[in-house]
Amino acid sequence: MKLVVVIPTLGRCGQVTRLLAHLDRQTRRPDAVIVSAPDPTHVERFPLSSFPVSAIFGPKGLAAQRNSALEAVAGKFDIVTFFDDDFVPADDYLDGIVSAFTAHREWSVVMGRVVLDGATGAGFDWDDALTALAETSQKPPPLPAIIEHVGAYGCNMSIRAAAIGPLRFDERLALYGWQEDIDFTSQMRAHGRCVQLSHLRGVHLGLKSGRVSGERFGYSQIVNPIYLVRKGTVPASFALPLMLRNIAANLFRSLRPEPHVDRRGRLRGNLLAFAHLLRGRVEPEYIVNIQRIRWWP
C-alpha cells in the first residue's frame, strides 16, 4: 500500500525540518511527504531524505491546508497520514499503520496512542519525546489494544484514501480549526471503523508558537461544538461535556492562570460566543474578525 504523510504547518520552519529528518528513521518510510503551508515563508530548505518531499501553498487555516493537500494527493495513494508539525512518531509508527489497514479492510481511520501530550500543558521538547518513546518501547502496550472513537485526534490520524471521495475538511472551522479533525473523521465512519491502536505510539510536543489568540480559541471552544452538533457530525453527548469542561477550566483558572495559557483571553472568547449563541448566531468563521476583547482586564 502506498502511504503519503501530510504535514500542515504555520510559522514553524525549524520544527518541520526536524520532523522530516526524524521520519527517515521509520522502519517503513513514507512513499512521499507533503508539507502544506500558506506561503514559502513558512518552510525552509528540506533536508536530504530517502523519500520525496514537496511543499504546496494555499489558503491559511488548518482545514484549508489539509484540503489543499487532499487535492494534491487524490488518486495517488492508498493511505493519507496527517501529522501535526509538532508530532513525533515512534520509529515503527508507519509500519504499524500499513499493517493495520492491510489486515482490517473494515477500518477507515486509524490513530495512535499519544504517550505525552504537550497540548494539555506547557509543552515538551524533542528530548522529552525521544526519552518517552524509548521508555515506552520497553513496555507492553496498555489494554484494550483497539479503542473505538467518535473521531480521530488530528495530531496523528491516518485515513483510507479510497473512502475519502469528495469529502473535505470544513473550512468554516477557520484558522486553528478546532475540532475539524473530529468533524471530518466522524463522517468517515460511514465507510468503516475509526479506531485507536495502543501499540502505535507518538508524542505531541504541544508547541505554543503558531497558535491563535486566547480570545479566538475561547470563541471556538463554544461555537465549534454547537456548530458540529447542528451539522450532525458529532453527538451532543460528546460536544456538550467538552464545552462545559473548557469553560469551567477557563473560569476557575483565570484567577491564577498558567503562564503558558491565556485563560482570561479564552474566557472572554467563551463569553462572547455565548452572547452570539443567545442571539442565534452560530458562526465559527467569526474568529477571523476577533482581535482583542477589551471588556476584561
Side-chain angles (χ1 to χ4, degrees):
M1 300 184 81
K2 294 185 66 176
L3 179 148
V4 61
V5 170
V6 173
I7 306 172
T9 191
L10 178 76
R12 296 177 180 170
C13 295
Q15 178 65 22
V16 171
T17 299
R18 189 159 190 179
L19 175 55
L20 291 172
H22 180 76
L23 290 179
D24 234 348
R25 298 170 38 165
Q26 290 290 306
T27 55
R28 196 286 188 193
R29 293 180 178 86
D31 295 288
V33 174
I34 304 291
V35 178
S36 181
D39 58 65
T41 65
H42 297 273
V43 297
E44 58 188 16
R45 187 170 183 175
F46 297 137
L48 292 176
S49 60
S50 59
F51 45 82
V53 182
S54 58
I56 58 172
F57 307 113
K60 178 181 177 181
L62 187 52
Q65 288 170 231
R66 293 193 194 279
N67 285 341
S68 294
L70 287 180
E71 294 295 336
V73 305
K76 300 176 183 177
F77 299 92
D78 302 296
I79 302 169
V80 181
T81 294
F82 287 98
F83 284 154
D84 278 6
D85 57 14
D86 60 348
F87 182 77
V88 184
D91 293 346
D92 60 353
Y93 185 102
L94 295 181
D95 200 355
I97 287 292
V98 172
S99 296
F101 277 114
T102 301
H104 297 274
R105 297 290 177 179
E106 76 279 15
W107 291 356
S108 63
V109 181
V110 175
M111 62 177 170
R113 173 170 56 104
V114 179
V115 298
L116 286 179
D117 192 355
T120 62
F124 298 102
D125 59 28
W126 273 87
D127 288 340
D128 296 326
L130 297 178
T131 298
L133 292 175
E135 290 175 349
T136 55
S137 70
Q138 306 302 317
K139 301 176 183 178
L143 295 174
I146 302 171
I147 304 171
E148 203 88 22
H149 277 263
V150 171
Y153 188 7
C155 71
N156 80 115
M157 58 184 182
S158 298
I159 302 163
R160 191 180 297 276
I164 296 174
L167 182 65
R168 295 295 182 265
F169 290 86
D170 191 338
E171 295 185 25
R172 290 192 67 186
L173 304 174
L175 301 181
Y176 185 59
W178 197 64
Q179 299 298 303
E180 99 296 338
D181 45 5
I182 299 293
D183 174 52
F184 183 88
T185 54
S186 68
Q187 295 177 78
M188 294 297 300
R189 293 169 63 215
H191 305 283
R193 296 168 63 190
C194 175
V195 300
Q196 176 188 334
L197 302 183
S198 297
H199 70 280
L200 299 180
R201 298 165 298 116
V203 171
H204 186 205
L205 301 180
L207 300 182
K208 306 312 176 189
S209 63
R211 303 271 178 168
V212 298
S213 69
E215 287 88 352
R216 285 173 166 169
F217 189 60
Y219 188 88
S220 295
Q221 285 181 318
I222 304 303
V223 169
N224 288 17
I226 294 295
Y227 170 73
L228 296 180
V229 170
R230 291 182 56 171
K231 183 179 175 181
T233 56
V234 301
S237 59
F238 172 86
L240 297 182
L242 178 66
M243 288 172 48
L244 293 175
R245 286 195 303 270
N246 286 326
I247 194 167
N250 295 335
L251 181 61
F252 290 110
R253 294 182 182 174
S254 64
L255 301 175
R256 296 184 64 182
E258 311 96 313
H260 55 275
V261 179
D262 181 10
R263 289 291 177 187
R264 293 177 180 177
R266 290 186 184 185
L267 183 57
R268 290 192 292 266
N270 292 163
L271 296 175
L272 177 62
F274 278 118
H276 282 194
L277 292 176
L278 288 173
R279 298 201 298 269
R281 294 181 63 178
V282 183
E283 302 173 8
E285 64 272 31
Y286 180 79
I287 65 169
V288 300
N289 299 321
I290 296 176
Q291 299 301 320
R292 177 172 173 79
I293 305 166
R294 300 185 179 280
W295 35 267
W296 184 289

